[in-house]
Amino acid sequence: MSSPMKTKIDFLIERVQKQNPSANVKKIRAAYECAAAAHEGQKRRNGEPYIIHPVAVAEIIVEMGLDTDSICAGLLHDCIEDTEFGYREIENKFGTSVAELVDGVTRLGMLRYSKEQEQMEDLRKMFMAMAKDIRVILIKLADRLHNARTFQFLPERKQRDKALETMEIYAPIAHRLGMSRIKWELEDLCLRILDPIGYQEIVDGLQKQSDRYEEFLDHIKERISSKLNEAGIGHSISARVKHIYSIYRKMYAQHKTINEIYDICAVRVIVDSVADCYNVLGYVHDLYKPIPGRFKDYISTPKPNGYQSLHTTVIGRDGIPFEIQIRTEEMHKMAEYGVAAHWKYKQGLDKASNEQAFSWIRQLLEAQQDTEAEDFIKAIKVDLFADEVFVFTPKGDVVNMPAGATPIDLAYAIHSAVGNRMTGAKVNGRIAPIDSILKNGDIVEILTSKETHGPSRDWIKIVRTTEARNKIKQWFKKECREENIVKGHEDLDRELRANLLYNGFYENDEVIQNTLNKFSFANIDEMYAALGYGGITLTKVINKVKDEVGRMRRAAERVEKAEQLITQPQPVKKVRHSQSGVIVEGIDNCLVKFARCCTPIPGDDIVGFITRGYGVSIHRRDCVNVRINEDDKDRSRWVDCWWDEDLLERKCTFSTGLQISTRSRIGILSDIAVLLAQSKVNVRDMNARDLDDGYGVINVVIDVTGVKQLQHIMNRIKTTKGVVGVTRVTSDPHS
Ligand code: MN
């Protein structure tokens, strides 16, 4: 290897050491040696030894401030593709992390830009890679930046293709990641290729005026600086002519010549605190007249890529406008290096900060979904994600699904065992219907249970992917359903007889139905099958049957004794607590609302319905709207619920409706109102109407702590003169 390169790598290592004393320079040097050996004899288009390129890329990566592994990957980035030194060798020598980075960069470079289609495919891959490891993108940007710096050595047509690709993919990505330095340089390098005449025109125009600009900016700097010194505000100030492509864009957008362009010059003031930013703004506006409507506060409202600054445009000497940017040091680093600032200024790369960076990128992508105008975003929205959707697992892995996929599809995409054990799903932390359509950026958590009786047959109709559909079908087949049914049937019958429940079970449809509902079986065969293969234990089923049969017996006794109060079966004890007062089977802390049709209160036997988007709706089990039919497609959305036992201590109240039938009598309404007031319950609503035949109906909505208090109140109402009967409202009074 020639000696100038040795010098270069020595210089690079020196710089790394200065920047980050804990960097592993031995590893970097070893990576260099490997790359140099691997590329030995290869030449770049301009005749230079090939190793110049990876070293230059590594230099850019060092400038970005990335970690040792990224620098090594930068040195080795062309090895997998172009040399004998492959993934395995890199992994053996430098570890999995470096190998993965190089591999990621290689894959990004694999698809060549030719037409729209490939370009989008490339983009797609980039985003996938980004979600896994942002460093892959940063290394690829460094690679492209060095290639762009040497575009002139390519054949002319290739120059244009590459420049176009860079302009349309790489520069916008740099922009989206807040890396303005790289973005500017890429844009200017590309413009020089794509419109050499326009580019030259601006360069010449700036050249001609350069003395004037320089003198103009020096004067401004001095004036602002001395004013701030006077005020005792520590600061640093710099001034520059804006980069060429931004002037170019303004010229074309506003149909103006370079001499007519506003704010070609920009002054930047960097201060210590946010408060000082606003102070400086005040002083600047004292010194120079601001142009109305040009003040932008990106501190209180950062740009989607995280950029923060105060911008104002003021009129300088001779009426020449210029822009002033005011920001803190921290904001400045963000503005220059964007996402890379994360590595540059927070040394070390622990898992937590990595995740932080990741969540930041995700927010950034989410924010971009409702940003306007930019072609880049349109491209993402219209083309990139038209037929696929990217969702995240709670761990942050990205999963690529076809558009329209549901949580069930995702569960089966993760693993068939996950799908077969799925009981529900949380989307962005909230319980969601298992048939909801997943959206880009959703964080989807699949809820599973070992005790589940496997997928529901309905899922076959719900799922979008053939993979999921096949796996579900396979499950049913594999589970030897018929045999399981026979076995489960026999086992259950034997156990029912042993517990003297056989007749109680089979002679009452309601007992059967409630038992099936309890465990979410669509029909009795499914329960037999589940019992057959052990998806549910006999004990569980028998206990439920016991409850149900007991309840039926009590109900029968109640009929005989005519006016006896309903005694509800004890809810299954759960040692969990909830905000809403209701515990939903298998789901913690979900959004719960109480159905208006039956207004359940503590003590009622309840059941929940997973709505589309409003959490779980709680009904009384005997509500007319609770129709858990086996062939209903919504069957799987009914879930078991219990009241939180903590409620009694908390003395929460719940609204519920009563309907009182009366013989029309003057004063009955006020009698009942007085009675309710004496009972110390809050009355939310009360109205009365007369029926034709001398009878009337009073509807009240009151707040009670539970069934016990309600029964007490109902008994008192019943004994009021003129009251014929009182019942709880079980159907929506508005329907
Ligand atoms: Mn390269």
Side-chain angles (χ1 to χ4, degrees):
M1 202 42 32
S2 55
S3 60
M5 278 317 298
K6 277 286 181 213
T7 325
K8 259 205 148 143
I9 190 70
D10 290 338
F11 176 73
L12 181 108
I13 282 172
E14 244 170 60
R15 192 165 163 196
V16 171
Q17 255 167 336
K18 215 187 282 170
Q19 210 169 285
N20 177 14
S22 67
N24 186 347
V25 294
K26 249 187 169 165
K27 193 173 179 182
I28 295 171
R29 191 173 288 279
Y32 166 75
E33 302 291 350
C34 274
H39 292 296
E40 180 76 74
Q42 292 179 354
K43 292 248 185 296
R44 301 203 83 215
R45 286 206 182 256
N46 58 1
E48 288 176 339
Y50 195 87
I51 188 67
I52 285 187
H53 167 65
V55 170
V57 170
E59 268 169 25
I60 297 168
I61 292 165
V62 172
E63 161 71 19
M64 285 179 187
L66 297 193
D67 59 343
T68 300
D69 282 353
S70 305
I71 299 166
C72 292
L75 288 165
L76 296 163
H77 81 270
D78 279 330
C79 280
I80 290 183
E81 206 181 357
D82 298 343
T83 79
E84 300 291 299
F85 199 70
Y87 182 94
R88 287 275 156 256
E89 285 84 355
I90 295 176
E91 193 184 26
N92 286 339
K93 232 170 161 158
F94 302 101
T96 311
S97 167
V98 175
E100 294 263 292
L101 290 173
V102 174
D103 190 51
V105 173
T106 307
R107 274 187 286 116
L108 283 188
M110 222 108 87
L111 281 175
R112 302 272 169 238
Y113 169 87
S114 58
K115 290 268 177 301
E116 210 77 358
Q117 207 61 33
E118 267 99 344
Q119 176 190 344
M120 289 307 155
E121 183 63 32
D122 219 352
L123 251 181
R124 201 175 284 164
K125 288 203 160 199
M126 285 191 117
F127 274 90
M128 300 271 287
M130 173 157 82
K132 276 189 193 142
D133 195 330
I134 182 70
R135 292 176 297 175
V136 170
I137 301 286
L138 301 182
I139 296 165
K140 189 67 196 168
L141 281 172
D143 179 32
R144 179 49 57 103
L145 179 57
H146 182 248
N147 284 333
R149 283 173 183 169
T150 53
F151 272 161
Q152 70 268 27
F153 301 115
L154 295 173
E156 205 169 303
R157 241 199 76 199
K158 202 143 189 218
Q159 281 185 23
R160 294 188 62 84
D161 283 354
K162 284 281 164 193
L164 207 56
E165 180 189 44
T166 305
M167 204 66 138
E168 288 181 3
I169 299 177
Y170 290 85
I173 283 175
H175 174 62
R176 284 295 142 196
L177 296 176
M179 308 174 75
S180 58
R181 275 195 177 202
I182 285 182
K183 177 203 163 215
W184 290 343
E185 192 179 345
L186 286 175
E187 285 174 345
D188 284 359
L189 290 167
C190 292
L191 181 64
R192 200 172 62 183
I193 305 284
L194 295 172
D195 185 356
I197 294 168
Y199 179 88
Q200 203 52 47
E201 202 180 299
I202 294 169
V203 171
D204 292 346
L206 293 175
Q207 192 66 45
K208 241 182 255 164
Q209 306 268 5
S210 72
D211 290 349
R212 188 171 151 238
Y213 287 137
E214 210 165 292
E215 201 266 333
F216 172 74
L217 289 172
D218 281 347
H219 183 260
I220 290 167
K221 276 199 303 196
E222 263 173 48
R223 213 173 149 203
I224 294 176
S225 215
S226 67
K227 182 89 181 175
L228 294 182
N229 285 336
E230 228 172 82
I233 297 175
H235 66 279
S236 69
I237 188 164
S238 61
R240 64 186 171 90
V241 169
K242 287 189 169 177
H243 78 291
I244 292 167
Y245 183 64
S246 79
I247 297 170
Y248 179 88
R249 247 193 1 213
K250 280 182 186 166
M251 281 171 63
Y252 282 83
Q254 299 166 13
H255 301 287
K256 284 178 177 156
T257 67
I258 183 160
N259 297 321
E260 296 168 314
I261 291 288
Y262 259 11
D263 55 24
I264 277 176
C265 303
V267 173
R268 182 178 296 148
V269 184
I270 296 172
V271 293
D272 294 332
S273 68
V274 172
D276 276 351
C277 291
Y278 292 95
N279 286 333
V280 171
L281 181 75
Y283 287 117
V284 166
H285 283 180
D286 274 353
L287 290 172
Y288 299 100
K289 192 172 149 38
I291 297 177
R294 295 288 303 236
F295 168 63
K296 300 221 172 62
D297 185 350
Y298 294 119
I299 291 181
S300 63
T301 314
K303 286 189 183 180
N305 65 11
Y307 177 88
Q308 286 189 296
S309 236
L310 296 178
H311 285 191
T312 184
T313 303
V314 298
I315 309 279
R317 210 180 46 188
D318 305 333
I320 300 172
F322 64 97
E323 187 182 74
I324 299 193
Q325 302 169 353
I326 308 161
R327 53 177 87 140
T328 65
E329 188 61 37
E330 186 96 339
M331 294 172 193
H332 182 59
K333 286 166 184 166
M334 225 13 240
E336 295 274 294
Y337 298 101
V339 67
H342 177 75
W343 282 274
K344 199 173 176 70
Y345 300 102
K346 289 180 192 113
Q347 287 300 348
L349 189 69
D350 56 280
K351 202 164 179 277
S353 63
N354 220 351
E355 269 162 22
Q356 211 182 334
F358 177 72
S359 84
W360 181 77
I361 293 157
R362 209 181 52 232
Q363 281 168 14
L364 195 146
L365 289 172
E366 275 165 13
Q368 282 162 21
Q369 288 181 356
D370 21 50
T371 316
E372 70 306 310
E374 315 239 24
D375 293 341
F376 180 62
I377 290 138
K378 270 190 215 149
I380 290 174
K381 280 179 99 164
V382 179
D383 300 307
L384 182 57
F385 292 141
D387 55 354
E388 21 189 356
V389 53
F390 292 81
V391 298
F392 298 101
T393 68
K395 277 195 212 148
D397 294 330
V398 69
V399 184
N400 177 5
M401 309 283 300
T406 66
I408 307 175
D409 291 290
L410 177 64
Y412 279 100
I414 295 167
H415 197 282
S416 44
V418 175
N420 289 337
R421 286 179 176 175
M422 176 175 183
T423 55
K426 275 186 185 173
V427 175
N428 300 323
R430 281 216 164 149
I431 177 74
I434 52 172
D435 61 349
S436 49
I437 306 296
L438 297 176
K439 296 189 304 299
N440 274 316
D442 278 349
I443 305 166
V444 188
E445 181 183 351
I446 304 299
L447 306 173
T448 59
S449 161
K450 279 186 183 154
E451 287 163 12
T452 171
H453 41 81
S456 154
R457 279 191 183 274
D458 296 337
W459 292 6
I460 293 168
K461 280 172 266 165
I462 294 168
V463 294
R464 171 69 210 273
T465 55
T466 45
E467 186 197 15
R469 193 169 299 126
N470 288 341
K471 281 178 175 174
I472 296 167
K473 281 183 183 161
Q474 209 178 11
W475 184 89
F476 278 105
K477 206 168 150 193
K478 207 167 117 192
E479 295 304 316
C480 312
R481 196 168 145 71
E482 296 312 315
E483 285 169 42
N484 288 333
I485 289 172
V486 172
K487 182 174 179 297
H489 196 162
E490 283 171 9
D491 289 352
L492 181 65
D493 286 0
R494 193 189 58 238
E495 206 61 24
L496 286 169
R497 287 201 177 91
N499 285 279
L500 302 175
L501 292 165
Y502 187 87
N503 292 336
F505 181 70
Y506 284 110
E507 283 172 4
N508 194 324
D509 284 348
E510 207 180 329
V511 172
I512 296 175
Q513 197 53 53
N514 286 348
T515 306
L516 296 179
N517 291 347
K518 157 81 183 172
F519 303 110
S520 306
F521 290 115
N523 56 52
I524 198 158
D525 275 357
E526 280 201 9
M527 186 167 80
Y528 290 150
L531 283 166
Y533 69 80
I536 187 168
T537 62
L538 270 172
T539 322
K540 276 195 162 181
V541 175
I542 292 294
N543 283 342
K544 177 63 185 170
V545 173
K546 229 180 243 172
D547 279 359
E548 283 299 319
V549 170
R551 201 163 75 115
M552 286 305 147
R553 286 189 186 138
R554 284 195 297 278
E557 285 162 19
R558 202 166 55 229
V559 170
E560 283 168 26
K561 290 185 190 170
E563 288 300 317
Q564 275 302 324
L565 300 180
I566 302 161
T567 51
Q568 299 291 344
Q570 283 300 304
V572 179
K573 307 229 186 254
K574 290 267 156 169
V575 217
R576 274 179 296 165
H577 304 300
S578 60
Q579 295 233 301
S580 56
V582 169
I583 293 160
V584 181
E585 163 103 286
I587 306 159
D588 289 330
N589 285 326
C590 60
L591 182 67
V592 153
K593 61 167 193 162
F594 297 98
R596 288 203 322 170
C597 47
C598 57
T599 56
I601 55 173
D604 284 328
D605 201 4
I606 49 174
V607 65
F609 182 74
I610 300 171
T611 65
R612 290 173 206 273
Y614 301 101
V616 175
S617 174
I618 307 297
H619 292 263
R620 280 156 56 189
R621 218 176 249 282
D622 57 359
C623 173
V624 293
N625 291 326
V626 176
R627 291 265 160 85
I628 307 177
N629 295 327
E630 22 183 285
D631 39 9
D632 192 334
K633 68 176 168 49
D634 287 332
R635 175 67 194 84
S636 61
R637 293 165 65 183
W638 289 102
V639 290
D640 268 303
C641 300
W642 303 269
W643 294 99
D644 188 342
E645 293 188 344
D646 253 9
L647 271 182
L648 295 171
E649 277 155 49
R650 280 193 258 149
K651 294 213 186 314
C652 298
T653 59
F654 294 78
S655 297
T656 194
L658 290 179
Q659 180 161 307
I660 305 165
S661 340
T662 61
R663 234 171 260 122
S664 290
R665 179 177 77 78
I666 291 163
I668 194 165
L669 197 62
S670 68
D671 284 355
I672 288 168
V674 167
L675 186 154
L676 291 171
Q678 283 168 349
S679 305
K680 294 197 167 59
V681 295
N682 182 34
V683 179
R684 285 194 176 260
D685 190 26
M686 186 162 184
N687 61 70
R689 66 196 148 92
D690 282 325
L691 303 176
D692 292 333
D693 48 6
Y695 287 84
V697 167
I698 300 171
N699 278 308
V700 291
V701 177
I702 54 175
D703 291 348
V704 293
T705 55
V707 162
K708 225 172 155 187
Q709 188 190 13
L710 184 67
Q711 278 299 345
H712 178 71
I713 291 162
M714 285 171 77
N715 287 341
R716 286 195 65 181
I717 293 171
K718 270 185 207 162
T719 57
T720 304
K721 196 180 166 198
V723 170
V724 177
V726 50
T727 54
R728 292 183 64 183
V729 175
T730 54
S731 65
D732 194 338
H734 301 282
S735 67

